[in-house]
Amino acid sequence: MTRSVGYRIAIGALVVAIGGMFYYYGRDPGTAELVAALELARHSNEQLVQARQAAQSAQKSLELARQAEAEASGDPEKQKPLAALTRLREVELQRQAGLVRQREEEARKVLAAAEGKKNRLQDSEAKKKSSEEKAASDKMAAEKSAQAAAAVKKSVSELPPEKIERVGRAEDAATDQNLLLLKEGKSAEDNGDAKAAIKLYRQAYRNGSGEAAKRIGDIFVDGKGNVQRDYAESLVWYARAEKRGVAVERARARDGNEPAPVPSRDAAPAPAPIVESQPTPQQPPLPDGSSSTATLVVIALASGLGVGYLLSRRRRNAPQALAINVRPAAPGAKTSADESGKLFVSYSHRDKQSVEPIVSQIESMGRTVWMDRTGITGQAGWAGQIVRAIRECKAVVLMASPNSYASDQVVRELYLAMNHKKPIVPIELAPAELPDELQYILAPFQHHRLSGNETKDVLGRALAAV
């Protein structure tokens, strides 16, 4: 009886916690999962209470049977059937006691699972709140920086004409020096000495060049020459470049540690990511004092050699640093309106090596693919990208496996797909028992199991209707 009260108290506490979460956060897939787990725990507790009541009833019946047998001890004819009845009551009591133990174990497991989901939901919300606070802090810092820049501009505009002329000459000298440093740094990059290039770019950055900061980010994001790849360091330098007015597009790194910033098409003169449909960035205009024909020819030749060298390196290293993108269709592939819908790939990053060849097969069939190739959660804008990609896709391709069924992220993506009424195409990487919480979502959809050399045929049949 005491243990039953304990379970009821625990269930009541979870009800209060879930009610508070509904009020504060609103209903989302994570909360829906927790509510389902709570309902299962409540049902399990009811079964436990019923089993204990049945056991108490069996105990009373046994006591009555033993009492009747004792009263008939002097009459062998009455005692014999009463003894048989007593044995039946003992067997029934043992059965009910075993059922009580089974129900207690089930209730304990279900309650533990519900509490685990509650803790994970709280952790997720805490990370979201932390991310929002960081975004607000970054916005405030950017606003302060803009205000400071405006104040400096205003103070300069109020200077006497002779002082403004001196400031202008100093700025022209700094610009000429930075152009020379950028040119020398580019030459060092082309010769494979990225460390020397970084030193030159650092000096240009200290002189006020945002382009130098972006070039340092390019070196670290690709790991050029004698400098190893360092995504964290590239983010630092890209942020510095943005603060000085150099635009940087951000994409996600393939190998899953940090988002790899990719140079913007509008930012010059570093080469843009290797995408065949993307135009080559234009060289910024040189100051009037350095626009001689000879200088332009030398810079054009050096830039051409540098771009060719970097393009060849990127093609060789392409599998090592792919970003979240939609790759162009293979040559000769269909690009009609029926084939142009994006496919959202939902998978566990533990299955990355198995998923990659399958995604390549899908792309070779002329289909465009959107997938998160990093597994980084909690960053500003990350959740919005996932929601928009699922909302705008034509279908969701589930790479089904034990790892994906156990992934909270995959479960959330499938809930979103169901909410947006998107077709789901389960592709079985490995046999796995379908969890109860996914049976309802995936029940309407046919599963497709891959087998040896028939992979492309299976994918063709699976994707024919989407």
PDB file of all heavy atoms in Angstrom, residues 169-179 207:
ATOM      1  N   ARG A 169      45.080  61.274 -46.193  1.00  0.00           N
ATOM      2  CA  ARG A 169      46.379  60.784 -46.688  1.00  0.00           C
ATOM      3  C   ARG A 169      46.840  59.576 -45.884  1.00  0.00           C
ATOM      4  O   ARG A 169      47.413  58.623 -46.447  1.00  0.00           O
ATOM      5  CB  ARG A 169      47.401  61.917 -46.607  1.00  0.00           C
ATOM      6  CG  ARG A 169      47.191  63.018 -47.649  1.00  0.00           C
ATOM      7  CD  ARG A 169      48.460  63.850 -47.801  1.00  0.00           C
ATOM      8  NE  ARG A 169      48.821  64.511 -46.560  1.00  0.00           N
ATOM      9  CZ  ARG A 169      48.416  65.736 -46.218  1.00  0.00           C
ATOM     10  NH1 ARG A 169      47.613  66.414 -47.035  1.00  0.00           N
ATOM     11  NH2 ARG A 169      48.797  66.285 -45.083  1.00  0.00           N
ATOM     12  N   ALA A 170      46.631  59.618 -44.562  1.00  0.00           N
ATOM     13  CA  ALA A 170      47.031  58.467 -43.731  1.00  0.00           C
ATOM     14  C   ALA A 170      46.238  57.216 -44.109  1.00  0.00           C
ATOM     15  O   ALA A 170      46.784  56.115 -44.183  1.00  0.00           O
ATOM     16  CB  ALA A 170      46.826  58.797 -42.250  1.00  0.00           C
ATOM     17  N   GLU A 171      44.934  57.386 -44.368  1.00  0.00           N
ATOM     18  CA  GLU A 171      44.114  56.234 -44.757  1.00  0.00           C
ATOM     19  C   GLU A 171      44.557  55.687 -46.110  1.00  0.00           C
ATOM     20  O   GLU A 171      44.587  54.465 -46.322  1.00  0.00           O
ATOM     21  CB  GLU A 171      42.649  56.639 -44.808  1.00  0.00           C
ATOM     22  CG  GLU A 171      42.046  56.899 -43.430  1.00  0.00           C
ATOM     23  CD  GLU A 171      40.590  57.330 -43.530  1.00  0.00           C
ATOM     24  OE1 GLU A 171      40.139  57.613 -44.665  1.00  0.00           O
ATOM     25  OE2 GLU A 171      39.919  57.379 -42.480  1.00  0.00           O
ATOM     26  N   ASP A 172      44.893  56.566 -47.053  1.00  0.00           N
ATOM     27  CA  ASP A 172      45.373  56.095 -48.360  1.00  0.00           C
ATOM     28  C   ASP A 172      46.666  55.299 -48.205  1.00  0.00           C
ATOM     29  O   ASP A 172      46.855  54.260 -48.857  1.00  0.00           O
ATOM     30  CB  ASP A 172      45.611  57.291 -49.294  1.00  0.00           C
ATOM     31  CG  ASP A 172      44.292  57.944 -49.718  1.00  0.00           C
ATOM     32  OD1 ASP A 172      43.248  57.274 -49.585  1.00  0.00           O
ATOM     33  OD2 ASP A 172      44.324  59.109 -50.159  1.00  0.00           O
ATOM     34  N   ALA A 173      47.566  55.787 -47.317  1.00  0.00           N
ATOM     35  CA  ALA A 173      48.827  55.070 -47.104  1.00  0.00           C
ATOM     36  C   ALA A 173      48.565  53.695 -46.501  1.00  0.00           C
ATOM     37  O   ALA A 173      49.181  52.690 -46.890  1.00  0.00           O
ATOM     38  CB  ALA A 173      49.733  55.891 -46.190  1.00  0.00           C
ATOM     39  N   ALA A 174      47.628  53.646 -45.521  1.00  0.00           N
ATOM     40  CA  ALA A 174      47.301  52.349 -44.910  1.00  0.00           C
ATOM     41  C   ALA A 174      46.682  51.407 -45.931  1.00  0.00           C
ATOM     42  O   ALA A 174      46.974  50.200 -45.958  1.00  0.00           O
ATOM     43  CB  ALA A 174      46.345  52.564 -43.733  1.00  0.00           C
ATOM     44  N   THR A 175      45.847  51.943 -46.815  1.00  0.00           N
ATOM     45  CA  THR A 175      45.222  51.109 -47.850  1.00  0.00           C
ATOM     46  C   THR A 175      46.267  50.548 -48.801  1.00  0.00           C
ATOM     47  O   THR A 175      46.238  49.356 -49.161  1.00  0.00           O
ATOM     48  CB  THR A 175      44.189  51.928 -48.632  1.00  0.00           C
ATOM     49  OG1 THR A 175      43.187  52.416 -47.735  1.00  0.00           O
ATOM     50  CG2 THR A 175      43.521  51.080 -49.709  1.00  0.00           C
ATOM     51  N   ASP A 176      47.206  51.395 -49.227  1.00  0.00           N
ATOM     52  CA  ASP A 176      48.276  50.926 -50.121  1.00  0.00           C
ATOM     53  C   ASP A 176      49.098  49.828 -49.449  1.00  0.00           C
ATOM     54  O   ASP A 176      49.457  48.823 -50.079  1.00  0.00           O
ATOM     55  CB  ASP A 176      49.181  52.095 -50.519  1.00  0.00           C
ATOM     56  CG  ASP A 176      48.455  53.101 -51.404  1.00  0.00           C
ATOM     57  OD1 ASP A 176      47.404  52.715 -51.978  1.00  0.00           O
ATOM     58  OD2 ASP A 176      48.908  54.251 -51.499  1.00  0.00           O
ATOM     59  N   GLN A 177      49.410  50.025 -48.155  1.00  0.00           N
ATOM     60  CA  GLN A 177      50.192  49.016 -47.439  1.00  0.00           C
ATOM     61  C   GLN A 177      49.416  47.700 -47.339  1.00  0.00           C
ATOM     62  O   GLN A 177      49.989  46.613 -47.518  1.00  0.00           O
ATOM     63  CB  GLN A 177      50.554  49.521 -46.050  1.00  0.00           C
ATOM     64  CG  GLN A 177      51.447  48.551 -45.266  1.00  0.00           C
ATOM     65  CD  GLN A 177      51.756  49.049 -43.861  1.00  0.00           C
ATOM     66  OE1 GLN A 177      51.135  49.996 -43.403  1.00  0.00           O
ATOM     67  NE2 GLN A 177      52.694  48.421 -43.203  1.00  0.00           N
ATOM     68  N   ASN A 178      48.110  47.793 -47.061  1.00  0.00           N
ATOM     69  CA  ASN A 178      47.300  46.577 -46.946  1.00  0.00           C
ATOM     70  C   ASN A 178      47.214  45.841 -48.272  1.00  0.00           C
ATOM     71  O   ASN A 178      47.251  44.600 -48.313  1.00  0.00           O
ATOM     72  CB  ASN A 178      45.892  46.922 -46.450  1.00  0.00           C
ATOM     73  CG  ASN A 178      45.867  47.269 -44.980  1.00  0.00           C
ATOM     74  OD1 ASN A 178      46.813  46.960 -44.257  1.00  0.00           O
ATOM     75  ND2 ASN A 178      44.787  47.898 -44.521  1.00  0.00           N
ATOM     76  N   LEU A 179      47.088  46.583 -49.373  1.00  0.00           N
ATOM     77  CA  LEU A 179      47.061  45.921 -50.679  1.00  0.00           C
ATOM     78  C   LEU A 179      48.352  45.167 -50.948  1.00  0.00           C
ATOM     79  O   LEU A 179      48.349  44.051 -51.480  1.00  0.00           O
ATOM     80  CB  LEU A 179      46.819  46.970 -51.775  1.00  0.00           C
ATOM     81  CG  LEU A 179      45.397  47.536 -51.877  1.00  0.00           C
ATOM     82  CD1 LEU A 179      45.352  48.670 -52.884  1.00  0.00           C
ATOM     83  CD2 LEU A 179      44.425  46.433 -52.281  1.00  0.00           C
ATOM     84  N   ASN A 207      46.050  46.697 -39.489  1.00  0.00           N
ATOM     85  CA  ASN A 207      45.967  47.986 -40.166  1.00  0.00           C
ATOM     86  C   ASN A 207      44.539  48.339 -40.573  1.00  0.00           C
ATOM     87  O   ASN A 207      44.310  49.357 -41.211  1.00  0.00           O
ATOM     88  CB  ASN A 207      46.855  47.997 -41.419  1.00  0.00           C
ATOM     89  CG  ASN A 207      48.335  47.956 -41.054  1.00  0.00           C
ATOM     90  OD1 ASN A 207      48.705  48.269 -39.923  1.00  0.00           O
ATOM     91  ND2 ASN A 207      49.162  47.578 -42.005  1.00  0.00           N
TER      92      ASN A 207
END
